[in-house]
Amino acid sequence: MHPTTYNAKAYSAVSATSRLASTKIKRRDPAERDVQIEILFCGICHSDLHSVRNEWSEFMATNYPIVPGHEIVGRVARVGPAVTKYKLGDLVAVGCMVDSDGTCPNCKAGLEQFCPNMVLTFNSPDEHLGGFTYGGYSESIVVDEHFVLRVPSNLNPAAAAPLLCAGITTYSPMHHWGVTNGKKVGVVGLGGLGHMAVKFADALSAHVVVFTTSPNKKEDALRLGADEAVVSRNADEMKKHAGSFDFILDTVSADHDINAYISLLRRDGNITMVGAPAEPLRVPAFSLIVRRRSLSGSAIGGIAETQEMLDFCGAHNITADVEVIPIQKVNEAYERLLKSDVKYRFSIDMASLKSE
Ligand code: NAP
Ligand code: ZN
């Protein structure tokens, strides 16, 4: 059966080298358990940029046209007849996933992000309409209620949007690796993910050290909650921290020397990659062997954990530091993101789509 559809305004790119531009896309009318969300704000994640430019072609090639965006906050505008969790007007959110099979061991463990049939918010096959899923650079989106999150009412919607990717991606590995009171935690790269990592590690009462390539971010790092900030090009400053970290979160989006950070871990320390540079990193086996150190990766977080993270943010008043822009500035924002020229996340005000 083909679902009925409606038209929605959006921004899309038609090739790896084209700019994002105004378009109209089809969305399905909400079926049984679907929620239609009028999008208020959508954050700009570096993954949007990697995808639009097909930088991850080896791992997940981009299908065009692409409508990126997976840091979505909005209001419930319509619900399907079987929806029980949400009603019209609720402040809700959608992150990087919109579906999974619900039956595999990963789904049963609340780890939908590792489900082999997980459907990404954009650039995944769309089983309802054919083609590929379209993300949050749009006036609305239709999502199964299981993948819809509730936003605590005390949080500013524009600043809450980045929690749906930058937030959960940094919160989840900190929980997994036991970041608590008194642990020494490093955050590599002070961008969208990095600045959220600092806020979470600080809220968990860890001793937080930021490693940045941008000397002008040092002061901000301390304001955001870091106890120390190190400019990573300064070899002497780096040396002072050798062998001392329990946990390091690497959020860097481009090629870099990860060994410089592995060597800062203590015995049994862990460094987790959440940054996803297109090129492979060089890892000397000896750096891991000598102190039984480990290197791992982490992908966003499950739905239950995402709600837990949002509730944690509500309780601790944590949101992203955002620069709100109209969608017409999105191409300029991508150029600035590449230069690390944003403090610390762009959030698109979707009301700006109305004039398109
Ligand atoms: P972002 O805002 O651009 O931040 C990345 C930061 O990395 C920059 O602010 C910069 O920090 C540092 N950096 C950039 N280029 C560098 C270079 N050549 N050498 C060293 N440091 C450099 O990006 P983001 O949105 O936080 O995303 C970061 C990465 O995480 C991206 O690759 C993204 O695709 C990935 N990601 C992964 C997941 C997941 O589930 N694993 C989820 C979301 C995003 P300084 O100026 O402080 O040095
Ligand atoms: Zn993201």
Side-chain angles (χ1 to χ4, degrees), residues 29-198:
D29 287 315
E32 287 297 290
R33 282 183 293 114
D34 282 341
V35 175
Q36 180 180 323
I37 299 161
E38 184 203 341
I39 300 175
L40 298 173
F41 295 95
C42 184
I44 296 181
C45 178
H46 207 114
S47 304
D48 298 350
L49 190 156
H50 288 304
S51 301
V52 164
R53 301 190 177 177
N54 202 13
E55 290 171 357
W56 290 336
S57 56
E58 221 180 295
F59 314 100
M60 40 165 95
T62 303
N63 300 284
Y64 296 95
I66 179 176
V67 176
H70 57 206
E71 294 186 333
I72 299 166
V73 166
R75 295 239 174 240
V76 174
R78 274 205 289 175
V79 293
V83 167
T84 59
K85 282 169 67 185
Y86 300 104
K87 58 178 191 330
L88 298 195
D90 283 357
L91 190 65
V92 294
V94 175
C96 301
M97 310 179 276
V98 290
D99 210 353
S100 69
D101 62 31
T103 55
C104 74
N106 297 302
C107 288
K108 287 198 168 134
L111 298 168
E112 297 91 341
Q113 74 272 33
F114 302 121
C115 169
N117 298 305
M118 185 264 283
V119 179
L120 290 166
T121 304
F122 61 85
N123 195 38
S124 272
D126 183 340
E127 66 160 39
H128 301 273
L129 300 179
F132 295 89
T133 52
Y134 291 140
Y137 295 8
S138 171
E139 58 188 350
S140 70
I141 191 165
V142 178
V143 179
D144 182 294
E145 68 171 333
H146 179 70
F147 290 87
V148 177
L149 290 308
R150 193 173 292 285
V151 179
S153 59
N154 59 316
L155 300 183
N156 172 318
L163 299 176
L164 277 298
C165 179
I168 185 60
T169 301
T170 51
Y171 179 92
S172 180
M174 284 198 206
H175 268 218
H176 183 76
W177 290 100
V179 170
T180 49
N181 191 6
K183 297 273 180 180
K184 187 169 175 185
V185 171
V187 175
V188 187
L190 196 65
L193 266 58
H195 95 292
M196 288 312 308
V198 171

Side-chain angles (χ1 to χ4, degrees), residues 44-47 50 56 70 165 169 189-194 211-214 217 251-256 273-277 298-300 337 340 342 344-345:
I44 296 181
C45 178
H46 207 114
S47 304
H50 288 304
W56 290 336
H70 57 206
C165 179
T169 301
L190 196 65
L193 266 58
F211 296 93
T212 180
T213 59
S214 313
K217 291 184 185 172
T251 76
V252 175
S253 53
D255 190 26
H256 61 289
M273 284 303 307
V274 286
S298 189
I300 46 173
L337 184 62
S340 299
V342 50
Y344 277 89
R345 197 59 140 186

